Amino acid sequence: MIAEDLFDLAPVIPVVVLDDAEAAVPLARALVEGGLPVIEVTLRTPSALEAITRIAAEVPDAVIGAGTIVRPEDAERSAAAGARFLVSPGCTPRLQAAMVATGLPFLPGAATASEVIALLEGGLTAMKFFPAEAAGGTAYLKSLAGPLPQVRFCPTGGVGPGNAADYLALPNVGCVGGSWLTPADAVRNGDWNHIRKLATEAATLR
Ligand SMILES: O=C(O)C(=O)C[C@H](O)[C@H](O)COP(=O)(O)O
C-alpha cells in the first residue's frame, strides 16, 4: 500500500482519541460497519498503542493507523504495535526519515507552500493539510492547487459534516480526516450505534 491508496479506501479518516483500550475493538467495528475502514488512533493517550494492537489483531477489515506522530520513536513504536499507516500533524527531516524507515505509507502534515515543497523534494505527494480550517480552509487549498497540482491532501482540523463535502469536491483533496465520527461521550458510554450511524452518513459523502 502507498499513501495515495488511503484516499481510495474511504472519503473520511476518523481521528480517534482513546482513553481506554477496551473500547478500541467495538469502536473500530462500528466504524468499519458504517463504511469507514481507515481509522487513525492518535498517540495522545497512554492506551493508544495497545488500542492499535487490539484493532490490528481483532478487526481484520480495519486499516488501522497511528496519528500524532511527532517524535521519531513514535513511528517505530506504532509500526511495532501493528499500525499500517502513520499520520503526523507536521514534519521535519528527522521525523520524515523515521517514518520512511518503518516502510509504512504515511501522511506527513503540511500547512504552507514551503512545507509542501519540502515534502515534494522528499518524493512525497500525499499529505495531511493541518490545521485545515484555521490555516485557510478550502480557499487555501484551491490556491495551493495552482502551483502545486501534483499534491493531494487529507485536510484535518475543523473538518466536520458541514464542510467535508466542500473539501472533497476539490481536485487536490484525496479524503478528509476528523474527530466528529467518535464524540468523546459516545465512546465513553459505548454508544457504538451512534458511531456506526455517524460513519454511515460520512461514508456517503463521496
Ligand atoms: O492529533 C493529530 O495528529 C492531529 O494532527 C490533529 C487531529 O488530526 C485534529 O486535531 C483533528 O481535528 P478535529 O477533527 O477538528 O478534532
Side-chain angles (χ1 to χ4, degrees), residues 15 40 42 44 67-68 87-89 128 130 156-159 177-180:
V15 176
E40 173 188 334
T42 62
R44 295 191 191 192
T68 326
V87 185
S88 69
K128 167 166 167 159
F130 176 80
T156 309
V159 180
S179 62
W180 84 90

Side-chain angles (χ1 to χ4, degrees), residues 32-165:
V32 170
E33 285 164 14
L36 298 181
V38 184
I39 302 168
E40 173 188 334
V41 173
T42 62
L43 300 191
R44 295 191 191 192
T45 60
S47 51
L49 290 174
E50 171 68 13
I52 289 168
T53 297
R54 290 195 192 193
I55 295 169
E58 296 179 48
V59 192
D61 291 338
V63 178
I64 183 66
T68 326
I69 303 285
V70 294
R71 300 169 303 177
E73 59 267 33
D74 294 335
E76 174 53 36
R77 284 191 193 131
S78 299
R84 292 170 61 189
F85 68 93
L86 307 173
V87 185
S88 69
C91 206
T92 68
R94 274 183 73 211
L95 196 56
Q96 186 176 332
M99 292 195 280
V100 168
T102 65
L104 295 174
F106 61 96
L107 295 171
T112 67
S114 293
E115 290 168 8
V116 173
I117 292 167
L119 293 170
L120 272 174
E121 286 176 357
L124 303 170
T125 52
M127 304 170 197
K128 167 166 167 159
F129 174 55
F130 176 80
E133 279 291 286
T138 53
Y140 195 106
L141 278 177
K142 270 185 210 161
S143 299
L144 285 180
L148 300 163
Q150 68 275 53
V151 182
R152 285 173 83 205
F153 296 94
C154 172
T156 309
V159 180
N163 58 9

